[in-house]
Amino acid sequence: MGGAGILLFLLAWTGAGVSWSPPKGKCPPRCSCSKESTLCEGSPELPESFSTTLLSLSLVRMGVSRLKAGSFLKMPSLHLLLFTSNTFSVIEGDAFIGLSYLQYLSLANNHLEALPRFLFQGLETLTHVDLRGNPFQCDCRVLWLLQWMPMVNASVGTGACAGPSALAQIQLNHLDPKKFKCKATELSWLQTVGESALSVESFSYQGEPHMVLAQPFAGRCLILVWDYSLQRFRSEEELSAPSVVSCKPLVLGPRLFILAARLWGGSQLWSRSSPDLRLTPVQVLAPQRLLRPNDAELLWLDGQPCFVVADASKAGSTTLLCRDGPGFYPRQSLHAWHRDTDAEALELDGRPHLLLASASQRPVLFHWFGGRFERRTDIPEAEDVYATKHFQAGGDVFLCLTRYIGDSMVMRWDGSMFRLLQQLPSRGSHVFQPLLIASDQLAILGSDFAFSQVFRFEPDKGILEPLQELGPPALVAPRAFGQVTVAGRRFLFAACFKGPTQIYQHHELDLSA
């Protein structure tokens, strides 16, 4: 609608004639006024000396570059407000605050590329909004508008997109809000925990989230809790565990177990029978079998908790230990002589499975059958895999395979075997770990020689896409990642072999705001 058209509409809407008779002292320069209506054209700034009982206001070819908050607080009775062919390109969020009777609003033919998200908040009486003729950039900034239009009891004239080029000339009301990706994820540094670490695990005990770090050089399993007053993590308890490689927690009601897998001196089981007691060592685990543990995992088999400890010694074998009475005892030896470096428990086809990675052959997949693990298959195209971790998305099971030299890989289960889906360049990597943080399925590829890379799984593409690098501070030889949620805040722990553990906070950014 052009300026002449708006003027005709204004005259018809108000019932005013072509002869204007302004009240004395109330009509600003370059404006024509009647008792209830005003038309201003070519003014270098927004006039202010209007009647407080004004019902309709039309502003044409104004020299204003910015429409400021509270611009119409002195005109609370406005029913109709028209702008057209003006030079302003920015409207502040509260520009129309106080216009609780406004019915018709036209912002047509200005220089607006976007509108603030809550521009129409409080304008409950609107029946018509005209936004045509503006060079809207149809990116995340218009998402709120697309979501608002179907919900409002007003007709909205939107016009076409001016950009980006892929959407140029498409009508705004033809855009699908579901196709806009306007949520971003960011991991920002929060805190450093001194001493090197090889593993990090989260667990909930008595309703409170905890983290436990395996710190081999400090010779301990360090349990951390959130300090609500200091707003940071602090030490709660330390377990003596020289040369520890993994501290694996298990919570059974009021009882807490920690398996401390150690390179030398024997692996131990620690236990706390009630919350008011401290953890104490209660068992040396399979001293004749666990010669050089490299990883420990928790899994449930036939309703019973079990640990599997991957053994990397030439003469050792990975051992399954299940609960029997007060302790955990060997149930089965697996994969002897293969120097296993990693174990991963997962469920496929509704049954427990175990995946073992070793330095001497491709990863081997076992399935639980007849009360023991039986070899099912190996993973083709996967030589020199140091570790494997899995995640689920869209009903599918995916693997992240870590390789120190060459490309790390993402694979997907097809019902009979894992098949290659994606390769990611990696150099000096000992960990490629998926983590579900809020609604983000992330995977972090650590590196001893470069920045660790964070990827996010994109369901529509079915692959991992780069998200960000972790740091500064840079991670020094990362070995494990873990996440925990405390008081609605989400944190990522990065355990490093040659440097301190770093803690990051997970943020979700709304790009449509």
Side-chain angles (χ1 to χ4, degrees):
M1 186 183 294
I6 291 176
L7 178 56
L8 291 173
F9 177 87
L10 176 62
L11 295 176
W13 190 84
T14 61
V18 293
S19 176
W20 301 75
S21 53
K24 288 186 179 180
K26 292 292 184 181
C27 194
R30 302 195 182 188
C31 297
S32 300
C33 308
S34 70
K35 182 178 180 181
E36 297 178 343
S37 304
T38 296
L39 169 66
C40 298
E41 184 172 0
S43 176
E45 56 187 23
L46 187 68
E48 295 184 358
S49 56
F50 293 113
S51 168
T52 56
T53 60
L54 193 66
L55 295 181
S56 64
L57 174 62
S58 181
L59 303 169
V60 181
R61 288 185 283 278
M62 307 288 288
V64 180
S65 61
R66 187 183 194 95
L67 203 56
K68 296 181 180 180
S71 292
F72 304 97
L73 285 173
K74 297 179 180 179
M75 294 164 270
S77 59
L78 275 180
H79 283 52
L80 181 145
L81 179 59
L82 307 177
F83 299 85
T84 189
S85 303
N86 296 293
T87 60
F88 63 83
S89 57
V90 177
I91 300 181
E92 294 184 3
D94 291 332
F96 303 133
I97 191 172
L99 297 180
S100 55
Y101 299 102
L102 193 65
Q103 298 177 26
Y104 191 106
L105 174 65
S106 176
L107 297 171
N109 301 310
N110 295 294
H111 295 270
L112 300 170
E113 293 187 356
L115 297 174
R117 188 170 191 167
F118 301 108
L119 181 62
F120 304 130
Q121 187 172 332
L123 306 183
E124 307 296 337
T125 57
L126 278 178
T127 60
H128 186 88
V129 180
D130 190 354
L131 303 174
R132 290 173 291 186
N134 288 292
F136 285 120
Q137 295 299 306
C138 294
D139 49 27
C140 287
R141 290 173 292 177
V142 303
L143 178 58
W144 76 266
L145 184 60
L146 303 182
Q147 295 170 333
W148 173 80
M149 288 190 296
M151 301 174 61
V152 69
N153 294 321
S155 61
V156 183
T158 57
C161 302
S165 57
L167 299 177
Q169 305 308 314
I170 296 178
Q171 296 291 313
L172 265 69
N173 56 7
H174 292 166
L175 299 176
D176 184 357
K178 297 178 181 178
K179 294 184 178 180
F180 282 73
K181 298 187 182 299
C182 297
K183 296 290 184 181
T185 296
E186 180 182 77
L187 293 164
S188 60
W189 180 83
L190 175 77
Q191 182 183 345
T192 294
V193 177
E195 300 294 342
S196 302
L198 280 177
S199 77
V200 55
E201 300 280 350
S202 64
F203 65 96
S204 179
Y205 183 66
Q206 297 297 297
E208 281 296 316
H210 294 68
M211 301 298 287
V212 57
L213 293 165
Q215 298 182 322
F217 299 134
R220 65 187 180 186
C221 293
L222 176 65
I223 299 175
L224 301 171
V225 294
W226 180 251
D227 190 312
Y228 289 89
S229 60
L230 298 177
Q231 293 292 290
R232 60 192 287 115
F233 289 92
R234 62 169 176 82
S235 172
E236 182 190 62
E237 192 169 352
E238 299 179 15
L239 314 182
S240 177
S243 71
V244 67
V245 296
S246 179
C247 302
K248 201 71 182 181
L250 167 63
V251 178
L252 297 175
R255 190 155 194 169
L256 170 64
F257 295 94
I258 301 287
L259 184 154
R262 299 165 55 193
L263 283 177
W264 297 284
S267 296
Q268 289 182 307
L269 185 69
W270 293 67
S271 176
R272 176 194 291 168
S273 58
S274 64
D276 56 333
L277 298 176
R278 298 185 69 81
L279 283 153
T280 57
V282 294
Q283 183 185 4
V284 176
L285 295 168
Q288 302 304 316
R289 301 197 191 193
L290 302 181
L291 304 181
R292 191 182 176 190
N294 200 73
D295 181 41
E297 294 295 330
L298 171 68
L299 65 165
W300 288 77
L301 300 170
D302 299 330
Q304 290 296 318
C306 299
F307 293 104
V308 60
V309 180
D311 197 289
S313 68
K314 291 182 180 180
S317 61
T318 291
T319 301
L320 177 68
L321 304 109
C322 293
R323 193 181 187 198
D324 186 2
F328 285 77
Y329 300 93
R331 176 81 171 267
Q332 182 182 359
S333 292
L334 293 155
H335 220 215
W337 311 100
H338 284 293
R339 300 171 61 189
D340 292 333
T341 54
D342 183 77
E344 177 72 353
L346 66 163
E347 186 174 289
L348 297 171
D349 311 322
R351 290 186 296 165
H353 282 67
L354 180 66
L355 191 59
L356 297 180
S358 65
S360 59
Q361 67 175 65
R362 294 180 295 189
V364 177
L365 183 67
F366 297 82
H367 65 138
W368 187 247
F369 182 78
R372 60 185 290 110
F373 278 112
E374 299 286 350
R375 180 187 173 111
R376 180 172 181 179
T377 185
D378 61 13
I379 299 181
E381 308 174 52
E383 304 291 344
D384 301 318
V385 171
Y386 178 79
T388 65
K389 300 294 179 185
H390 82 284
F391 67 95
Q392 297 184 25
D396 290 324
V397 178
F398 299 84
L399 281 185
C400 293
L401 285 77
T402 311
R403 300 178 73 199
Y404 186 78
I405 300 174
D407 292 343
S408 291
M409 295 174 284
V410 182
M411 290 189 167
R412 181 176 56 211
W413 179 252
D414 70 358
S416 61
M417 66 174 56
F418 283 100
R419 296 191 184 276
L420 182 63
L421 179 69
Q422 188 177 4
Q423 291 182 295
L424 298 170
S426 61
R427 181 169 173 260
S429 179
H430 284 88
V431 57
F432 184 19
Q433 188 162 341
L435 293 166
L436 182 63
I437 305 182
S439 59
D440 289 320
Q441 178 60 64
L442 305 179
I444 308 175
L445 183 60
S447 174
D448 286 7
F449 307 117
F451 280 108
S452 295
Q453 300 285 333
V454 183
F455 297 85
R456 180 169 55 194
F457 184 76
E458 299 294 343
D460 54 341
K461 297 180 180 179
I463 60 173
L464 295 172
E465 293 278 12
L467 181 65
Q468 73 173 85
E469 293 179 338
L470 271 183
L475 303 181
V476 185
R479 291 296 183 267
F481 299 95
Q483 69 93 16
V484 65
T485 300
V486 183
R489 297 169 67 182
R490 297 173 291 273
F491 302 98
L492 171 74
F493 279 64
C496 298
F497 180 56
K498 296 182 180 179
T501 295
Q502 304 293 351
I503 306 175
Y504 300 85
Q505 184 168 354
H506 174 272
H507 302 277
E508 286 185 329
L509 308 177
D510 187 353
L511 302 180
S512 66

